[in-house]
Amino acid sequence: VQLQASGGGLVQAGGSLRLSCASSGHRFSEYVVSWFRQAPGKEREFVAGIRRNSGYTSYEDSVKGRFTISRDNAKNTVYLQMNSLKPEDTAVYYCAAGRGVILSSLRDSRAYDHWGQGTQVTVSS
């Protein structure tokens, strides 16, 4: 499975962006997919995750109510809609996929087998 993240950019605080994570692999619907982010000088952190059938999603507390993760398995793509962006959301955003990710490991980056190249999100104040 190869992942391609896109949609990042420069936006003012309060603005919106939609990130996309497109997969070139087969059976994408069998993978748990999550978004992580890494700001300069900080560790990579979990942002949002979605299980195979989209019935379960999880969010980091600081993005709840502002970000929405969704997936279109027919298009082999997972999206992260980001609204009400804040300067502290500035980071490189990575999508990650794993077939064997269990619920308790959803937020653990070590549980994922495949990573996209990252897309820069910059929010100006």
Side-chain angles (χ1 to χ4, degrees), residues 35-47 60 88-94 107-110 115:
W35 287 94
F36 291 79
R37 66 186 179 187
Q38 188 165 19
K42 295 187 177 181
E43 293 186 354
R44 189 170 297 188
E45 66 173 356
F46 172 84
V47 176
E60 194 267 331
E88 50 263 44
D89 294 318
T90 295
V92 177
Y93 283 70
Y94 299 89
R107 297 169 179 245
D108 187 346
S109 61
R110 297 169 298 179
W115 290 82

Side-chain angles (χ1 to χ4, degrees), residues 48-113:
I50 188 166
R51 298 195 74 185
R52 297 165 186 82
N53 61 3
S54 302
Y56 178 87
T57 58
S58 180
Y59 298 91
E60 194 267 331
D61 286 346
S62 69
V63 308
K64 284 181 181 177
R66 300 189 297 122
F67 292 10
T68 302
I69 189 170
S70 61
R71 68 190 300 163
D72 185 338
N73 288 332
K75 296 183 178 179
N76 284 357
T77 302
V78 169
Y79 304 98
L80 184 68
Q81 178 67 43
M82 305 187 297
N83 299 327
S84 302
L85 283 161
K86 303 176 181 180
E88 50 263 44
D89 294 318
T90 295
V92 177
Y93 283 70
Y94 299 89
C95 59
R99 185 175 288 179
V101 179
I102 59 177
L103 188 58
S104 60
S105 299
L106 188 69
R107 297 169 179 245
D108 187 346
S109 61
R110 297 169 298 179
Y112 295 82
D113 305 310

